[in-house]
Amino acid sequence: MITKRSVLSFFTILLLSLPAIAYPGDEALAEFLKRNGIQANSVAVKILDLSDGSIVATHNEDTPLVPASIMKSVTTAALLESAGPDWRYHTRIYIDGPNDLGYLRGNVIVEGACDPTVNSDKEPFSPNIIEEIAQALISQRINRIEGSVIIDERNFNGEPRPQSWAKEDCAKYYGTGSHSFNYSDNARGDFAVHQPSSAFISALKNHLNNQGIEIEDKELTEGSRIQIHDHISAPLDEIMRSCMMRSDNLFAEAMLRTYGKMAGCDGSTDEAAALEMTLWQNKGLPLEGVEIFDGSGLSRSNRVTANFMSELLKNMSGNPDYASFFPLAGQEGTLKKFLAGTSLDSYIAMKTGSMRGIQCYAGYKLDDDYMPTHVIVIIMNEITKSRERAKQAAEKMLLSIFE
């Protein structure tokens, strides 16, 4: 007599007897997962052939893990899709009173645009905004200002840092906040500047004084604005390339907030992250287990899967600019030593992500024309040995797969 239980047992035996799906990179992947210090349960790998979408290697592709700075590749993709490579930040300068024979009966107003590159000492460079303001006032024949310098930061709401960032990071230059008005990398040496607008006003006053322009600092009611200058950043693609090459947290956080503002939110990090999730959902990316708390990856609360990252990279692979933002192995940025001198030198372009116990990679294998041929995602959490060992393990796996 055939029972329901016997039918189920038959199909169970049949499924167990079927061979597991084999992928070209299985052997190299297995060796990678056995390396000392690599915790297989806390590692995810996904490598895709873009020519036909086939899987080269996969492991734990749906396991949510901490991405660290490969989150920057997610942020960059979102803003690039919305703004395009040629878009620029505009920080506009106004006066709000009459010019009475060189005496400005009003204030100088700087309207923050969340531009992270204002007077940055990192590429891409834009004109010195302090010198620009001085020249704009001189061209108006203004030599005395009754009011004060006002920084209008109302366009971008919310806190400058996500609450999920570690407190010890917030004191350091790499953990500085992203403001509606950013100035000089919001840092001084190794330490964060918590009020960049105050640092800017002080520097501007000193410069104007040296130019013979006196500021009386009277409290005046703000009047109708007249624009006297527009500080324009470098094109967005140059900002993105700098961000990805150097893994700049401030640049990435400002870009996430900029994306949110463009998408219709108040410019806060929280709302921007929520809208970014909606963007990827609308594009059909697999979001189960994905959580976005910031733009840079400094938050350990972020979670991505190798499946999500690989599908995002696949989705963006046709963009002629996007792949060029990723450092070339053996040549550039945070990937300069990775695979250097090997057959894959200059043929791998990836964003790295590093934290204590975490080493991640996300990007592409390239052909001779620097066009993406494969998507590569390697996410390693809970590394028990040095991250250097983890890097060597990833190098060996990629060399075994692609040589």
Side-chain angles (χ1 to χ4, degrees):
M1 179 179 177
I2 299 176
T3 66
K4 186 177 181 180
R5 177 175 294 178
S6 65
V7 172
L8 289 172
S9 298
F10 170 76
F11 279 108
T12 300
I13 293 169
L14 179 62
L15 287 170
L16 290 173
S17 66
L18 291 173
I21 298 174
Y23 298 112
D26 279 354
E27 186 176 341
L29 176 61
E31 286 298 315
F32 166 73
L33 295 172
K34 289 191 295 186
R35 291 292 292 269
N36 192 17
I38 303 297
Q39 304 299 305
N41 290 337
S42 299
V43 169
V45 175
K46 190 77 176 282
I47 301 176
L48 298 176
D49 187 331
L50 286 170
S51 66
D52 57 9
S54 62
I55 297 173
V56 176
T58 183
H59 173 74
N60 281 351
E61 66 175 47
D62 293 317
T63 301
L65 295 169
V66 180
S69 281
I70 65 171
M71 182 60 72
K72 293 181 176 72
S73 61
V74 180
T75 305
T76 301
L79 184 56
L80 184 63
E81 286 284 274
S82 298
D86 299 323
W87 183 87
R88 298 169 186 254
Y89 285 95
H90 291 260
T91 302
R92 294 179 170 87
I93 316 301
Y94 303 91
I95 56 175
D96 67 350
N99 181 358
D100 185 6
L101 298 177
Y103 184 25
L104 173 62
R105 302 280 187 175
N107 306 290
V108 175
I109 301 169
V110 180
E111 185 177 65
C114 208
D115 180 357
T117 71
V118 174
N119 281 40
S120 172
D121 64 2
K122 314 292 192 308
E123 293 183 354
F125 303 116
S126 57
N128 185 317
I129 193 172
I130 288 177
E131 293 178 358
E132 287 183 313
I133 293 172
Q135 287 305 310
L137 292 170
I138 290 170
S139 69
Q140 297 285 324
R141 301 181 183 276
I142 293 171
N143 52 46
R144 188 177 173 192
I145 299 167
E146 183 179 13
S148 56
V149 177
I150 297 173
I151 310 299
D152 183 352
E153 301 201 61
R154 292 175 294 180
N155 284 334
F156 290 81
N157 295 331
E159 295 299 316
R161 298 177 182 83
Q163 293 184 351
S164 56
W165 282 10
K167 289 184 178 179
E168 57 267 27
D169 289 335
C170 295
K172 302 294 187 179
Y173 73 94
Y174 61 81
T176 193
S178 168
H179 299 255
S180 182
F181 180 76
N182 303 295
Y183 172 71
S184 192
D185 300 305
N186 297 352
R188 183 173 289 118
D190 290 336
F191 298 98
V193 170
H194 300 295
Q195 297 292 336
S197 58
S198 296
F200 165 76
I201 289 172
S202 177
L204 177 61
K205 285 181 176 179
N206 286 337
H207 185 74
L208 293 181
N209 183 63
N210 291 335
Q211 296 293 314
I213 301 173
E214 179 187 353
I215 299 179
E216 296 181 356
D217 267 334
K218 292 181 180 178
E219 292 189 15
L220 303 177
T221 302
E222 188 175 330
S224 297
R225 295 183 179 185
I226 301 170
Q227 183 174 322
I228 61 169
H229 187 67
D230 183 7
H231 173 81
I232 304 174
S233 75
L236 187 59
D237 62 344
E238 295 181 25
I239 296 172
M240 289 180 166
R241 189 168 293 111
S242 178
C243 174
M244 294 280 278
M245 290 289 168
R246 299 180 297 101
S247 201
D248 192 295
N249 292 335
L250 170 60
F251 279 32
E253 293 303 324
M255 286 194 291
L256 176 60
R257 297 182 73 179
T258 302
Y259 164 76
K261 191 70 176 179
M262 285 185 175
C265 84
D266 63 0
S268 68
T269 299
D270 290 346
E271 287 199 16
L275 283 173
E276 188 181 52
M277 289 284 285
T278 301
L279 170 69
W280 303 130
Q281 182 180 36
N282 291 340
K283 287 183 175 290
L285 270 59
L287 289 175
E288 186 172 356
V290 176
E291 297 182 80
I292 298 176
F293 285 85
D294 68 11
S296 65
L298 192 57
S299 172
R300 284 181 175 260
S301 297
N302 291 315
R303 293 291 184 274
V304 300
T305 65
N307 196 23
F308 166 75
M309 291 299 304
S310 63
E311 288 301 309
L312 182 145
L313 290 164
K314 179 181 175 182
N315 183 276
M316 295 296 297
S317 62
N319 186 297
D321 298 288
Y322 184 66
S324 72
F325 301 154
F326 292 73
L328 281 176
Q331 300 295 319
E332 298 175 318
T334 57
L335 217 64
K336 191 167 187 177
K337 296 181 179 179
F338 191 80
L339 292 168
T342 71
S343 60
L344 291 179
D345 188 320
S346 303
Y347 285 92
I348 299 288
M350 296 192 297
K351 181 72 193 77
T352 60
S354 304
M355 284 179 165
R356 186 173 61 254
I358 295 171
Q359 185 64 42
C360 307
Y361 299 95
Y364 301 101
K365 173 153 185 324
L366 308 174
D367 63 16
D368 289 333
D369 296 319
Y370 297 98
M371 297 299 294
T373 63
H374 294 75
V375 164
I376 301 169
V377 179
I378 305 169
I379 306 174
M380 295 177 275
N381 285 191
E382 298 184 23
I383 299 168
T384 59
K385 301 296 183 180
S386 70
R387 285 192 294 107
E388 194 59 38
R389 276 190 169 185
K391 293 176 184 179
Q392 292 168 1
E395 284 180 309
K396 185 175 181 180
M397 177 176 64
L398 292 176
L399 286 167
S400 296
I401 288 174
F402 291 116
E403 278 191 325

